[in-house]
Amino acid sequence: MKNYFITATDTDAGKTHIGCAIVNKLVKQGKKVQVFKPISAGCEFVDGKLINADAANLLAYSNCEQTIEQVNPIAFAEPIAPHIAAQNNQVAISLEEITQAHKKMCQTNAEVTITEGAGGWRLPLGNGKFLSEFVQQTDQQVILVVNMKLGCLNHAILTYEAIKNDGLVCVGWVANVQQDMAYLNENLNELFSYFSMPLLGVVDNKPNIESVSELLDLSTI
């Protein structure tokens, strides 16, 4: 089974949008794809369950039999940093719980697991732990979504260096252009000079996942 972890340069960088497009493209290629969103904050109660929209969207594009609880085992209602939401609810986020949930998923007959992180790479879980440690423990390959805006070069390069320093492989990156950016091509070229992994696609602000998936080249992963 191939395991990919989608991270980004910051919050609202488009992880879910790109993640759904990747899942959609892999499913169209005939792959059995399951999804995982270990932690979410910003959920609504639906039929007595806390439902995170990002987790639900990923599940909608996958093609394995999963429940929303399997996809998103840790969910908080408040749209705030997860470790603060956990403190407010007087609970602790367990790195071991997340890791074991992912390992259990890897025992299925799926061919690919797409995991979406929360926030950026070094998301705090509380008690000195980070979500990036979960990626290390499960030895996932990383896909980096870069939010193309002023300041993205610093965010992208620092994130890339952190991934490498954690001993993980970044197998590709996506340039997500959510708004008009001055000197877009110059910024892209600067990132080309720093990144050793392939560009999987330059995505503009298309709302349709089918259209976004057509902009992605996943032949290298």
Side-chain angles (χ1 to χ4, degrees), residues 16-210:
T16 304
H17 200 56
I18 301 303
C20 287
I22 290 173
V23 172
N24 180 63
K25 184 141 193 163
L26 291 172
V27 167
K28 283 190 168 183
Q29 291 175 352
K31 303 284 198 306
K32 295 192 67 175
V33 185
Q34 61 185 0
V35 293
F36 192 47
K37 172 83 175 175
I39 302 171
S40 69
C43 306
E44 294 184 0
F45 276 102
V46 179
D47 297 329
K49 299 178 182 179
L50 273 175
I51 304 297
N52 175 260
D54 292 347
N57 285 335
L58 286 167
L59 178 58
Y61 284 97
S62 64
N63 62 349
C64 292
E65 293 184 2
Q66 295 178 271
T67 65
I68 192 66
E69 293 89 350
Q70 290 171 327
V71 173
N72 182 206
I74 299 176
F76 300 103
E78 294 178 279
I80 57 177
H83 73 288
I84 298 176
Q87 292 171 6
N88 289 349
N89 286 272
Q90 298 182 325
V91 297
I93 298 175
S94 169
L95 185 62
E96 179 65 19
E97 178 184 347
I98 298 168
T99 301
Q100 289 305 316
H102 184 270
K103 288 182 177 179
K104 185 175 181 180
M105 288 183 64
C106 292
Q107 296 171 1
T108 68
N109 62 352
E111 295 173 83
V112 184
T113 299
I114 300 292
T115 299
E116 183 196 326
W121 179 248
R122 201 67 83 200
L123 179 84
L125 301 181
N127 299 314
K129 298 294 184 180
F130 298 94
L131 187 59
S132 53
E133 294 177 62
F134 152 71
V135 191
Q136 288 177 293
Q137 290 181 8
T138 49
D139 194 28
Q140 298 177 68
Q141 295 182 310
V142 181
I143 295 171
L144 173 60
V145 177
V146 178
N147 188 8
M148 298 303 298
K149 63 178 185 178
L150 187 64
C152 70
L153 298 181
N154 175 63
H155 294 161
I157 293 167
L158 287 176
T159 302
Y160 179 54
E161 290 176 348
I163 293 168
K164 290 196 300 180
N165 289 338
D166 283 346
L168 293 164
V169 177
C170 194
V171 294
W173 67 288
V174 177
N176 193 25
V177 188
Q178 301 188 89
Q179 58 191 23
D180 290 339
M181 182 184 189
Y183 300 101
L184 173 62
N185 289 332
E186 288 82 355
N187 280 273
L188 289 172
N189 288 334
E190 193 68 22
L191 291 175
F192 287 141
S193 71
Y194 282 101
F195 290 165
S196 61
M197 70 283 197
L199 175 67
L200 304 182
V202 178
V203 176
D204 58 21
N205 200 24
K206 293 183 185 298
N208 186 281
I209 294 298
E210 297 278 346

